[in-house]
Amino acid sequence: MKMIRAFIRPEKEQETVLALEGAGFPALTKFHVFGRGKDGGLKVGSVHYDELPKVLLMVVVEDEQAPRVVDVVKEKARTGEIGDGKIFVSAVEEAHTIRTGEKGL
Amino acid sequence: MKEIWAVIRRNKLPDTKKALEETGSFAMSIHSVEGRGRQGGVIFREIDPYVPEHYEGVVRVKPTPSRYALAHTLTKAVTYVPKRLLVLVVPDEAVRDVIDALVRVNRTGHPGDGKVFVMPVEDAVRIRTGERGTGAVQ
């Protein structure tokens, strides 16, 4: 299994989540986070914004579905401007569904 | 070392903390998150009494100009269920006990009980002492 963590623009959240649902991935967890990227924040005139708000979407899927999730997020969350965010994919060794107590998603 | 992420019901947090303390895992981070599972954000009122009454009706479209342009293409608003996320980093030998405790306490048998994810952790550092490896999380 893979955990996909996508840091995206807050205004792109709705569109991305609906697209993920349409692609067959309804399950996700959302965090409101603050951070900065390579550029160290945002400079507008004399004001320097050190931490910018982002939405972190966390999706856990089977290995073979991970590229599909990444593609959907990449397509929907993209504006082409600096600050579109990053997607990280990491390994998940096991998952347990609490309701059934069984292993697996 | 393993990192355990557990997405659980909000009202199960005190019991979960108690159960984890019994297994010897005191250290954890608690996040307040929103999410949706396989049912796509359906709120079951009878088993989620802690969800505010108005929650379901909240349209989560932000009123920005770009949003207005998109509004006509949106078929429905995305709804989320409020949840708690526990993050624990535990030594390998404690993983079984922690998962068992999490599943035992949080299980109600209804959709929305949550998930537990286990991920490998390469290294850990205790900042106070500079200690590294498994010793840092014990």
Side-chain angles (χ1 to χ4, degrees):
Chain A
M1 270 166 290
K2 296 276 188 243
M3 175 179 285
I4 293 135
R5 277 175 279 198
F7 294 78
I8 63 171
R9 292 182 189 278
E11 65 265 29
K12 290 283 180 189
E13 172 215 327
Q14 187 102 12
E15 216 181 322
T16 309
V17 171
L18 287 174
L20 281 174
E21 189 180 341
F25 309 105
L28 58 89
T29 302
K30 182 181 78 162
F31 300 67
H32 293 279
V33 295
F34 293 88
R36 58 185 188 185
K38 258 186 283 188
D39 306 287
L42 180 69
K43 203 162 163 51
V44 181
S46 61
V47 185
H48 183 239
Y49 296 96
D50 198 24
E51 293 168 356
L52 303 170
K54 296 280 167 206
V55 166
L56 164 54
L57 299 180
M58 188 274 278
V59 191
V60 179
V61 293
E62 298 295 343
D63 284 347
E64 61 273 16
Q65 294 169 329
R68 179 87 188 97
V69 175
V70 174
D71 285 347
V72 170
V73 176
K74 253 198 276 190
E75 186 195 326
K76 289 292 170 186
R78 190 170 164 194
T79 67
E81 304 289 324
I82 290 171
D84 277 352
K86 288 269 187 297
I87 304 173
F88 299 110
V89 183
S90 55
V92 175
E93 291 183 343
E94 51 185 85
H96 297 255
T97 302
I98 294 175
R99 174 165 56 88
T100 56
E102 283 167 7
K103 270 194 185 187
L105 288 173
Chain B
M1 260 176 304
K2 299 278 186 242
E3 185 175 358
I4 299 175
W5 282 35
V7 185
I8 61 169
R9 291 181 194 279
R10 289 175 97 94
N11 57 349
K12 294 283 186 188
L13 187 62
D15 292 346
T16 308
K17 280 199 281 194
K18 233 171 273 166
L20 287 174
E21 274 167 27
E22 280 160 20
T23 70
S25 302
F26 294 92
M28 69 180 84
S29 306
I30 302 167
H31 299 259
S32 186
V33 297
E34 294 175 315
R36 52 214 301 243
R38 216 179 292 164
Q39 292 78 25
V42 180
I43 295 169
F44 298 91
R45 283 265 165 246
E46 58 279 13
I47 49 174
D48 283 331
Y50 53 90
V51 178
E53 198 61 43
H54 62 271
Y55 199 84
E56 223 163 350
V58 175
V59 178
R60 318 216 26 115
V61 181
K62 300 262 168 34
T64 61
S66 62
R67 252 354 42 213
Y68 286 132
L70 263 171
H72 67 282
T73 65
L74 295 175
T75 49
K76 62 171 185 176
V78 178
T79 54
Y80 294 100
V81 187
K83 293 274 170 197
R84 292 284 188 194
L85 172 75
L86 304 188
V87 180
L88 303 95
V89 179
V90 296
D92 284 338
E93 58 272 19
V95 172
R96 281 294 125 218
D97 289 346
V98 170
I99 293 175
D100 287 347
L102 286 168
V103 173
R104 176 166 46 81
V105 174
N106 288 287
R107 191 166 172 183
T108 66
H110 297 287
D113 277 352
K115 290 265 191 296
V116 179
F117 302 118
V118 184
M119 288 168 284
V121 173
E122 284 188 4
D123 201 358
V125 183
R126 178 172 280 142
I127 294 175
R128 174 167 53 89
T129 57
E131 191 180 359
R132 295 184 84 102
T134 312
V137 296
Q138 270 167 340

